Amino acid sequence: MLLIALFWPGFAAAQIPSRTPDLQLSGMINGGDHQRYLRAPFVMPDGVDRLVVAFDYDRREDRTVIDLGITDPNGFRGASGGNKPNFTIARSDATPSYLPGPLTPGEWALSLAVPNIRKGVSARWTARVWFLRGAEAQVLPSPSEGRGPGWYRGDLHLHSGHSDGSCDSARGRRVPCPLVRTLDAARARHLDFVAMTEHNTSTHAAALRELAPAYDDVLLIPGREVTTFFGHFNIFGITSDIDFRIADGIDNGFARIADRVHALGGILSINHPRMPSGEACMGCGWTMPGFDWSKVDAVEAINGGTPLGPEGPLTGTPFWLDGLAAGYAVTAVGGSDNHDPAKAGFGAVGVPTTVVHAQDLSQAAILAGIRSGRVYIDLTGAGDVHLDFTLASGGAQAAMGDKLRNSGAALALTPDLRGPEGAELELLDGAKPIARYPLANLPRTLDLPAAPGLRAIRVQMRDRDGKLIAIGNAVRVVP
């Protein structure tokens, strides 16, 4: 039994907001409070999405100990003793030791237990309290922050036992698969980030919060696969409730969901849009009523569960190109759609891998990188490819994912590539192939003739046998 308070160095029980607290509580204890329980009440306002509390006290050198807990208007909501200096509670998740659930308005109270304070000693305690709403309430801990700008590898479509993921138990039975097995597979694949995208639920957010300190070499992004009768789409960076129901008689729709996701700071990606819908895969294909491209951030061009492979008739790449052709800045991404972390080959965790150029390994930076289009898809997940380029015309220049004004002049593409021996670069304008070049003899600059109108200049990579192994995003050449 631990009889003294422990404050673990480097352990963040909750992510402390950088802004000024909404409330500060403080008080004094002395020798007369030895082995007593104290209560520090405060009022929970209406409409709060996440509570964060940071607690501290002095005179530890005199063996003073204050244990921490909290109650809401209905009673107990958790107690962490002295092992966590701060905590968070939201509907979807909470710091281990605390119960997630509604943040009911009314009187809450910190529960302070004093296992020890010596006679003649007085100690001051302080609690900083934040009431978070909307976008600032979504972010889970990012223990991998601090690596700086770079290309980061991840998987944007994963399932565990929190929805329909399954795996073998110790006795060989098929069971709902613990999320930790997916994280172990991601670490074995040397991924930098993963997004857990359970169907229409956010229960996995609590598991991600619990596991994040131990998996501090992998950024854990809360996601969700919104599964409707008219198509599936992933949302990233959201832990708050989302009404996923779209049907006659329900006042909801794709645009309303997308607007809420964006208001909360998240992004939205359409999944496997060319899959057929029917009894074999109910609602898998994209037949969304009232569909609006302007609400879309990304398209899952490559899905690890797509039958007939990444260039078959069910791949999502043509759908992504339809969005570009319509003039919208949508990013092509990939996702394994893995439901069993023991799976090998195409559709294994990290196969395909989405590679994002971001300013840091944090949720905000990865989502910003996806929005920007600074993304390519490594179809094999082997990590032996790199794909980037810039496009110049008439004195202007744009990086992959950006746009370039169509001046009527010729275009010059400067590739930045790495691939396996015998690989080739394929240059395309939208769906139309232009040329192929062996990587071993690649010119420093590739020239493209001028053409009017909207263009989507992009590159992909094929291995020595002509198999597609990497897809880059486009530079949109706009009138």
Side-chain angles (χ1 to χ4, degrees):
M1 179 179 292
L2 292 178
L3 299 179
I4 61 172
L6 297 177
F7 287 94
W8 302 338
F11 177 81
Q15 199 161 25
I16 301 301
S18 58
R19 66 171 176 82
T20 302
D22 297 297
L23 178 68
Q24 184 159 306
L25 307 173
S26 62
M28 297 291 297
I29 61 171
N30 55 43
D33 295 310
H34 179 70
Q35 295 187 348
R36 289 184 59 200
Y37 293 95
L38 308 175
R39 188 171 181 273
F42 65 93
V43 174
M44 175 72 70
D46 193 16
V48 175
D49 295 314
R50 183 177 296 279
L51 170 71
V52 177
V53 175
F55 186 76
D56 198 8
Y57 60 93
D58 59 16
R59 302 304 293 268
R60 287 187 178 84
E61 69 277 9
D62 296 315
R63 307 289 285 183
T64 299
V65 177
I66 303 177
D67 289 345
L68 182 62
I70 195 168
T71 60
D72 70 8
N74 300 308
F76 179 81
R77 286 300 291 269
S80 55
N83 63 52
K84 296 179 179 73
N86 48 71
F87 67 86
T88 185
I89 298 175
R91 180 185 289 272
S92 61
D93 62 275
T95 300
S97 303
Y98 294 86
L99 298 172
L103 299 178
T104 306
E107 185 174 282
W108 290 51
L110 297 180
S111 300
L112 307 181
V114 186
N116 194 68
I117 185 168
R118 294 170 176 171
K119 291 182 180 180
V121 171
S122 294
R124 173 172 290 277
W125 61 266
T126 302
R128 294 175 292 151
V129 180
W130 290 264
F131 304 120
L132 306 185
R133 296 173 173 85
E136 70 171 348
Q138 305 305 313
V139 181
L140 291 171
S142 297
S144 300
E145 278 186 289
R147 297 193 193 178
W151 290 95
Y152 293 108
R153 304 175 57 81
D155 194 334
L156 292 173
H157 195 159
L158 294 162
H159 298 278
S160 75
H162 284 270
S163 56
D164 56 347
S166 64
C167 57
D168 288 341
S169 71
R171 294 167 55 192
R173 297 178 297 119
R174 295 303 288 180
V175 297
C177 201
L179 189 153
V180 67
R181 292 200 187 179
T182 297
L183 300 189
D184 285 340
R187 178 176 279 163
R189 183 69 65 178
H190 305 294
L191 298 183
D192 300 303
F193 66 89
V194 296
M196 297 304 303
T197 53
E198 311 293 2
H199 294 282
N200 294 338
T201 186
S202 60
T203 60
H204 53 294
L208 292 175
R209 181 169 291 281
E210 180 177 3
L211 292 166
Y215 287 80
D216 57 358
D217 56 345
V218 182
L219 173 66
L220 311 182
I221 299 175
R224 209 169 313 171
E225 185 169 14
V226 179
T227 307
T228 80
F229 303 142
F230 311 104
H232 301 182
F233 54 96
N234 277 344
I235 58 176
F236 304 112
I238 304 296
T239 58
S240 288
D241 295 341
I242 298 289
D243 186 353
F244 57 85
R245 302 170 303 154
I246 300 176
D248 290 341
I250 297 176
D251 185 18
N252 196 26
F254 176 74
R256 177 173 289 189
I257 296 173
D259 287 345
R260 175 161 168 76
V261 168
H262 293 142
L264 293 173
I267 64 174
L268 183 151
S269 177
I270 296 173
N271 293 345
H272 43 70
R274 289 292 181 91
M275 288 283 286
S277 288
E279 291 186 352
C281 192
M282 292 173 283
C284 288
W286 193 255
T287 59
M288 185 65 64
F291 171 55
D292 182 352
W293 271 111
S294 70
K295 306 293 185 181
V296 178
D297 301 291
V299 169
E300 190 179 64
I302 303 296
N303 175 284
T306 302
L308 307 178
E311 293 194 273
L314 303 181
T315 183
T317 302
F319 186 85
W320 163 59
L321 295 176
D322 288 345
L324 293 180
Y328 293 95
V330 287
T331 300
V333 298
S336 69
D337 203 356
N338 181 270
H339 289 69
D340 181 352
K343 177 180 172 63
F346 195 62
V349 173
V351 185
T353 300
T354 299
V355 189
V356 181
H357 190 273
Q359 294 305 303
D360 202 353
L361 186 55
S362 69
Q363 177 172 300
I366 293 295
L367 298 189
I370 294 172
R371 288 190 196 98
S372 75
R374 299 285 291 140
V375 175
Y376 67 90
I377 306 168
D378 177 354
L379 274 69
T380 71
D384 58 352
V385 300
H386 173 71
L387 196 158
D388 193 15
F389 70 95
T390 58
L391 193 67
S393 177
Q397 181 174 290
M400 181 177 70
D402 206 346
K403 66 181 179 180
L404 184 68
R405 184 64 58 186
N406 193 337
S407 64
L411 303 173
L413 186 147
T414 303
D416 176 13
L417 304 173
R418 183 185 73 252
E421 186 176 352
E424 290 186 323
L425 165 69
E426 186 173 19
L427 177 60
L428 304 98
D429 185 346
K432 179 184 176 182
I434 298 174
R436 288 194 189 183
Y437 304 88
L439 259 60
N441 299 304
L442 193 64
R444 292 176 61 89
T445 302
L446 310 178
D447 296 323
L448 292 83
L454 179 67
R455 308 175 70 182
I457 305 301
R458 61 190 188 95
V459 297
Q460 22 186 73
M461 194 181 300
R462 296 183 180 276
D463 68 12
R464 63 167 63 250
D465 298 318
K467 183 180 178 181
L468 188 64
I469 57 174
I471 296 176
N473 271 274
V475 169
R476 293 178 304 119
V477 183
V478 299

